[in-house]
Amino acid sequence: VNDIANTIAAGLLARLRAALGPKGFVDDAGAMAPHLKDWRGLYQGTAPVLLLPGSTDEVAAAVRICAEAGVGVVPQGGNTGLVGAAVPRAGRGEVVLNLKRMNSVRLIDAADYTMTAEAGCVLADLQKAAADADRLFPLSLGAEGSCQIGGNLSTNAGGINVLRYGNARELVLGLEVVLPDGQVWNGLRRLRKDNTGYGLKHLFIGAEGTLGIITAAVLRLFPLPRETATAFAALRDLDAAIELLSIVRAGSGDAVSSFELVPRMAVDLCLRHLPGIADPLARRHSWYALIEFAGTAADGRTAAALEASLAEAMERGVVADAAIAQSQDQARKIWRIREELPEAQVRAGANIKHDVSVPVSKVPAFIKRADAALLSLVPGAETLAFGHIGDGNVHYNLCPPPGADLVAFMAKTEAVGKIVFDIAAEMDGSFSAEHGIGQLRRQALLKYRSPLEVEMMRSLKRALDPKGLMNPGKVL
Amino acid sequence: VNDIANTIAAGLLARLRAALGPKGFVDDAGAMAPHLKDWRGLYQGTAPVLLLPGSTDEVAAAVRICAEAGVGVVPQGGNTGLVGAAVPRAGRGEVVLNLKRMNSVRLIDAADYTMTAEAGCVLADLQKAAADADRLFPLSLGAEGSCQIGGNLSTNAGGINVLRYGNARELVLGLEVVLPDGQVWNGLRRLRKDNTGYGLKHLFIGAEGTLGIITAAVLRLFPLPRETATAFAALRDLDAAIELLSIVRAGSGDAVSSFELVPRMAVDLCLRHLPGIADPLARRHSWYALIEFAGTAADGRTAAALEASLAEAMERGVVADAAIAQSQDQARKIWRIREELPEAQVRAGANIKHDVSVPVSKVPAFIKRADAALLSLVPGAETLAFGHIGDGNVHYNLCPPPGADLVAFMAKTEAVGKIVFDIAAEMDGSFSAEHGIGQLRRQALLKYRSPLEVEMMRSLKRALDPKGLMNPGKVL
């Protein structure tokens, strides 16, 4: 039996090599290694080969060959995900198919405010291509220098501009997808309105490659901001964050591009671990909001609107103090506290991470309840809650008590997660706001989503991928 | 056989009557009549009963009873659709299930910018409920006084605010849906970010009730505009519309709430057929744009931005002349030309209608090509192209030559449609931008969508509604 299996496998590899050519077929162990584990090092898999197709036709050919052989295919972009969705499992013979060679921008139409890009385009390159055409592609997140748009769409990425421009899902007009049997669905329509049947593209967005492989997309563009205004506002208290959000949404013409919650501990961590960071305010406060307005006319209206909003917030006692950046350099320094916080956390040592969401109005109550529950489980620990509060999305981390045994602390990961996710669920929230499911959150999906909902997902999976070969073992 | 069928049918009706009670079970022919035909009078169907469930549980009970009996169910809202999606077919024994008794707003949370509403809420009532909470629900369209939100979502309605706020689909955070077997999917999450599996809600939005019945939804709200600015701008020519769109998107901070194309013929039709309409400009021009900016701070910035944008457009030769409304009354008068145009058309007599979309930048070329083709098919006829050009959505109508035989003219409907849809398809457009498929455009769906795409839709239909009982004969 083993001989037969080996013969079949050898035949499969020969067919894949013939279909993709030497550039598209990598079986060197060293070259494959970075594609077999996730960057956090939580998952280490194996694969008989790494495929690097250079075109949609080559993706289709590879998927068809694997489907005929009954071999699983793991689509991979920049491999920057946090839940193990883009790496193969160990010992399952799954093929990794990385899209990085498909990195052409097929079309930018400024008058149409659209861009058609292949899946392997790096996000930062797309932002730049749009800017070169005097347009904004607003998706922006920490990994933008290496993540790829195909992965961004397959995971329905979030990031710092969601409040104004929506999640990755909202930025897509059309898709091209290689289906599990190797057929190519050309849904690359660049239409704002098109009510001709079911919303097929939405099946593949956020499906983490389990229903097909996104090979290209039509993306929405926006007027390029000509001016931004940035402030670091000390809040009266945590509840004030929600009041301030309403004030700035109205005061900006609903052009708040970012509204990030920053706790005092984040400022202290950055001051302690990163060079060149300064506290933007003279006195210490418990909670801050980092606010950015973006305006598309360079007439000073944006800064004026931010100043007027903060003045109103101070008058109403919502904001205790605020620093408004007077230069791009000052704005960058303020942003460093938010953007380099993950790096400061790494330097500070291990912590237990969660990416939850609740209805926006419930964020303060969620943080207070979760804080109380966790500090009673791990006395002396510190919680670090920060992130995209304008979207109800909290990155909620637990840091060990000073001097604690880290192995013993990290062993509590599951118990801590259960508490955090249970509270989020009780508050109508989600255990994964923007990081997805992958391998890491599969059990949580089964626990926190209703059996009916899981069965609806399974019936879609069966309908589109009856052999179960697309990114097996992920999501469902 | 007939006796057995009648006995089964009688049993079904008795079970439905018992489940829904006298308020929910209507078999009086007079009361049923308006629910069996569409308002344009294109489709006349029959039904054994009209169901008016008062709760989600009653919808579920009715669907379960019908599923067990193998009887089709036609979900119906305000019955204002244009494609025959909400009425039963004739002689098929399909039951009509109208949602109008489910008209409660379950929750408005202003701090959360969300509203949870039942499917039978009339759109205008939801706009008002949001405004009473100092919030905007931006969906707005001609039928808003009678259409229901369940129908709006099931058809992914468009309307006049799509450019700024998106289609109905983009306004939904969560859904409650009765599935074809009578199970209730509670997807009423009010989260901005939730990446826990497939985008299930998007299956039901725009599916015209063929995959399940939407019974409630969580809707996104926005800051309520405090000021609007309205202008009627005469364009240099048709191509200038696209240039002007870019100028006003940038000049407004991307807060253009409406950008409607209006041809001279529309002004003339309104002047001829409607009382109290005035031409906003002294001289005649071939093409106009009706532009509205909305601002959420009452500080005059909105009018200033519109004036500055139009000044730039005139300087660049894009706009030949413009009238800016100096009062709400003037703004209303300008809007009458667009809003009452359908009524003016009715008074003018029969015409052949299409609702197409193309990429925004291609709208002028589409109109020119379609005009040339149709005027060569029907010499002396006039075309009337108007609508949501900011979304690439053109309501493209052909009016008969003066004194023409109307029956002979209307007999060309199919030939005219073929020309219009073929040109739209060649320009990567859609034969149904916001009106949907229903019964009217089923053949067009089969013709203009690829066989693969139709098969993908059918496999979804089979997965979710294997017996084919949800709104049978619609869409697919």
Side-chain angles (χ1 to χ4, degrees):
Chain A
V1 175
N2 244 351
D3 277 358
I4 296 173
N6 285 338
T7 309
I8 293 171
L12 168 74
L13 294 179
R15 290 186 65 195
L16 288 169
R17 190 194 298 263
L20 300 190
K23 277 194 200 163
F25 186 95
V26 176
D27 55 2
D28 172 77
M32 286 176 68
H35 297 276
L36 303 181
K37 61 168 196 268
D38 72 312
W39 72 271
R40 285 211 291 174
L42 296 179
Y43 297 96
Q44 173 69 60
T46 62
V49 65
L50 165 67
L51 302 178
L52 299 173
S55 67
T56 303
D57 285 347
E58 289 187 3
V59 175
V63 168
R64 204 161 43 235
I65 291 167
C66 290
E68 285 166 11
V71 166
V73 178
V74 180
Q76 188 178 72
N79 196 17
T80 62
L82 293 158
V83 292
V87 291
R89 296 174 300 175
R92 305 294 188 109
E94 295 158 5
V95 162
V96 176
L97 190 154
N98 186 293
L99 280 295
K100 65 181 170 187
R101 282 182 62 218
M102 288 189 64
N103 61 355
S104 298
V105 175
R106 294 187 189 165
L107 177 73
I108 293 189
D109 185 334
D112 200 35
Y113 289 84
T114 60
M115 166 164 71
T116 306
E118 293 183 343
C121 292
V122 169
L123 176 53
D125 294 340
L126 293 182
Q127 294 166 347
K128 183 169 184 312
D132 288 346
D134 195 34
R135 294 292 179 260
L136 173 73
F137 181 59
L139 189 65
S140 178
L141 47 101
E144 63 195 25
S146 51
C147 64
Q148 295 169 17
I149 191 68
N152 297 145
L153 303 185
S154 293
T155 57
N156 186 27
I160 57 167
N161 283 332
V162 173
L163 180 60
R164 172 73 181 85
Y165 297 100
N167 291 292
R169 184 185 296 281
E170 277 80 48
L171 303 176
V172 178
L173 292 180
L175 286 183
E176 177 186 85
V177 178
V178 173
L179 300 177
D181 63 0
Q183 290 191 84
V184 179
W185 172 50
N186 182 350
L188 280 179
R189 292 191 277 274
R190 46 199 187 102
L191 302 173
R192 308 275 157 173
K193 285 185 179 171
D194 176 27
N195 280 350
T196 55
Y198 303 153
L200 296 176
K201 69 185 176 201
H202 291 291
L203 280 172
F204 303 101
I205 299 169
E208 302 182 15
T210 61
L211 299 177
I213 301 178
I214 294 172
T215 48
V218 180
L219 304 167
R220 294 175 68 194
L221 303 179
F222 296 83
L224 193 64
R226 300 259 174 261
E227 58 184 23
T228 57
T230 308
F232 195 72
L235 302 168
R236 180 195 67 220
D237 53 25
L238 182 52
D239 292 332
I242 305 303
E243 296 166 58
L244 181 57
L245 180 62
S246 275
I247 292 172
V248 295
R249 283 191 72 170
S252 66
D254 214 14
V256 182
S257 47
S258 294
F259 191 88
E260 299 284 308
L261 181 70
V262 178
R264 180 66 218 178
M265 184 184 174
V267 180
D268 288 336
L269 272 179
C270 289
L271 289 173
R272 194 174 314 139
H273 294 288
L274 303 174
I277 297 254
D279 189 335
L281 296 172
R283 293 182 50 193
R284 292 173 66 89
H285 301 267
S286 297
W287 294 99
Y288 306 90
L290 195 171
I291 307 163
E292 188 170 277
F293 287 12
T296 55
D299 55 6
R301 270 188 273 157
T302 304
L306 180 58
E307 275 171 45
S309 296
L310 287 173
E312 181 188 340
M314 291 181 84
E315 197 173 305
R316 286 167 56 178
V318 172
V319 159
D321 195 5
I324 299 182
Q326 300 301 320
S327 66
Q328 293 239 354
D329 187 56
Q330 283 186 13
R332 249 193 311 272
K333 279 190 176 150
I334 289 176
W335 266 107
R336 281 190 65 197
I337 295 172
R338 172 65 187 88
E339 286 179 343
E340 297 179 25
L341 177 57
E343 176 61 23
Q345 285 183 273
V346 169
R347 297 195 192 182
N351 61 68
I352 302 173
K353 295 181 191 296
H354 315 87
D355 166 49
V356 300
S357 64
V358 291
V360 174
S361 58
K362 295 187 179 181
V363 168
F366 166 80
I367 292 174
K368 289 175 203 169
R369 274 187 64 180
D371 278 2
L374 292 190
L375 298 188
S376 111
L377 180 77
V378 191
E382 282 188 284
T383 62
L384 179 63
F386 66 98
H388 320 300
I389 192 174
D391 315 313
N393 179 191
V394 185
H395 297 313
Y396 188 80
N397 300 345
L398 186 70
C399 310
D405 174 345
L406 285 186
V407 174
F409 173 76
M410 292 306 287
K412 293 185 202 287
T413 298
E414 202 175 315
V416 169
K418 182 181 182 315
I419 288 174
V420 173
F421 296 159
D422 280 356
I423 293 172
E426 281 167 30
M427 301 180 81
D428 304 318
S430 167
F431 60 90
S432 190
E434 59 177 14
H435 292 175
I437 303 298
Q439 302 180 65
L440 184 64
R441 300 294 183 214
R442 280 180 81 200
Q443 291 308 312
L445 181 77
L446 294 176
K447 177 172 179 187
Y448 294 103
R449 289 291 163 251
S450 68
L452 174 62
E453 190 157 317
V454 172
E455 180 47 36
M456 288 166 72
M457 294 186 204
R458 286 192 174 135
S459 74
L460 292 178
K461 173 76 174 173
R462 282 192 300 268
L464 287 162
D465 182 20
K467 294 181 181 170
L469 297 178
M470 297 308 303
N471 212 4
K474 316 296 164 55
V475 183
L476 287 172
Chain B
V1 174
N2 244 353
D3 278 357
I4 297 174
N6 285 338
T7 309
I8 293 171
L12 168 73
L13 294 178
R15 290 187 65 194
L16 288 170
R17 190 193 298 265
L20 300 190
K23 277 194 200 163
F25 186 96
V26 176
D27 55 3
D28 172 77
M32 287 176 67
H35 296 275
L36 303 180
K37 61 168 195 268
D38 72 310
W39 72 271
R40 286 211 289 173
L42 295 179
Y43 296 96
Q44 173 70 59
T46 62
V49 64
L50 165 68
L51 302 179
L52 299 172
S55 67
T56 303
D57 285 346
E58 289 187 3
V59 175
V63 169
R64 205 161 44 237
I65 291 167
C66 290
E68 285 165 12
V71 166
V73 178
V74 179
Q76 187 178 73
N79 196 14
T80 62
L82 294 159
V83 292
V87 292
R89 296 174 299 175
R92 306 293 188 109
E94 295 158 6
V95 162
V96 177
L97 190 153
N98 186 294
L99 280 296
K100 66 181 169 187
R101 283 182 62 218
M102 288 190 63
N103 61 354
S104 298
V105 175
R106 293 187 189 165
L107 177 73
I108 294 189
D109 185 334
D112 200 34
Y113 290 84
T114 60
M115 166 164 72
T116 306
E118 293 183 344
C121 292
V122 170
L123 175 53
D125 294 340
L126 292 181
Q127 294 166 348
K128 182 167 184 315
D132 289 346
D134 194 33
R135 293 291 178 262
L136 172 72
F137 181 58
L139 189 65
S140 177
L141 46 100
E144 63 195 26
S146 51
C147 63
Q148 296 168 16
I149 191 67
N152 297 145
L153 302 185
S154 293
T155 57
N156 185 27
I160 56 167
N161 283 333
V162 172
L163 180 61
R164 172 72 181 83
Y165 298 101
N167 291 291
R169 183 185 295 281
E170 277 81 48
L171 303 176
V172 178
L173 292 180
L175 286 183
E176 177 186 85
V177 178
V178 173
L179 301 177
D181 62 0
Q183 291 191 84
V184 179
W185 172 50
N186 181 349
L188 280 179
R189 293 192 277 275
R190 46 199 188 102
L191 301 173
R192 308 276 157 174
K193 284 186 181 172
D194 175 28
N195 279 350
T196 55
Y198 302 154
L200 296 175
K201 70 184 176 202
H202 291 290
L203 280 172
F204 303 101
I205 299 169
E208 302 182 16
T210 60
L211 299 177
I213 301 178
I214 294 171
T215 49
V218 181
L219 303 167
R220 295 175 67 194
L221 303 179
F222 296 83
L224 193 64
R226 301 260 174 261
E227 58 184 23
T228 56
T230 308
F232 195 74
L235 301 168
R236 179 195 68 220
D237 53 24
L238 182 52
D239 291 332
I242 305 304
E243 296 168 59
L244 181 57
L245 180 61
S246 275
I247 292 171
V248 295
R249 284 191 72 170
S252 65
D254 215 14
V256 182
S257 48
S258 294
F259 191 88
E260 299 283 308
L261 181 71
V262 178
R264 180 66 220 178
M265 185 184 173
V267 180
D268 288 336
L269 272 178
C270 289
L271 289 172
R272 193 175 314 140
H273 295 288
L274 303 173
I277 298 253
D279 189 335
L281 295 172
R283 293 181 50 194
R284 293 172 65 89
H285 300 268
S286 298
W287 294 98
Y288 306 90
L290 195 170
I291 307 163
E292 189 171 276
F293 287 13
T296 54
D299 54 8
R301 269 189 273 157
T302 305
L306 180 57
E307 275 170 45
S309 295
L310 287 173
E312 180 188 340
M314 291 181 83
E315 197 172 307
R316 285 166 56 177
V318 172
V319 159
D321 195 5
I324 298 182
Q326 301 300 320
S327 67
Q328 293 238 354
D329 187 56
Q330 284 186 13
R332 249 192 311 271
K333 279 191 174 150
I334 288 176
W335 266 108
R336 281 191 65 196
I337 295 171
R338 172 64 186 87
E339 286 179 345
E340 298 179 24
L341 177 57
E343 175 61 22
Q345 285 183 272
V346 169
R347 297 196 191 182
N351 61 68
I352 302 173
K353 294 180 191 297
H354 315 87
D355 166 49
V356 300
S357 64
V358 290
V360 174
S361 58
K362 295 186 179 181
V363 169
F366 166 80
I367 292 174
K368 289 175 203 169
R369 274 188 64 180
D371 278 2
L374 291 191
L375 299 187
S376 111
L377 180 77
V378 191
E382 281 189 284
T383 62
L384 179 63
F386 67 97
H388 320 299
I389 192 174
D391 315 313
N393 179 192
V394 185
H395 298 310
Y396 188 79
N397 301 344
L398 186 70
C399 310
D405 173 345
L406 285 186
V407 173
F409 173 76
M410 292 306 286
K412 293 185 201 287
T413 298
E414 202 174 316
V416 169
K418 182 181 182 315
I419 289 173
V420 173
F421 296 158
D422 281 355
I423 293 172
E426 282 167 30
M427 300 179 82
D428 304 317
S430 167
F431 61 92
S432 190
E434 60 178 13
H435 292 175
I437 303 298
Q439 303 180 65
L440 184 63
R441 300 294 183 213
R442 278 180 83 201
Q443 290 309 312
L445 182 76
L446 294 176
K447 177 172 178 188
Y448 294 103
R449 289 291 163 251
S450 68
L452 175 61
E453 189 157 318
V454 172
E455 180 48 34
M456 287 166 73
M457 294 187 203
R458 287 193 173 135
S459 74
L460 292 177
K461 174 77 173 171
R462 283 192 300 269
L464 287 161
D465 182 20
K467 294 181 182 171
L469 297 179
M470 297 307 303
N471 212 4
K474 315 295 163 58
V475 183
L476 288 172

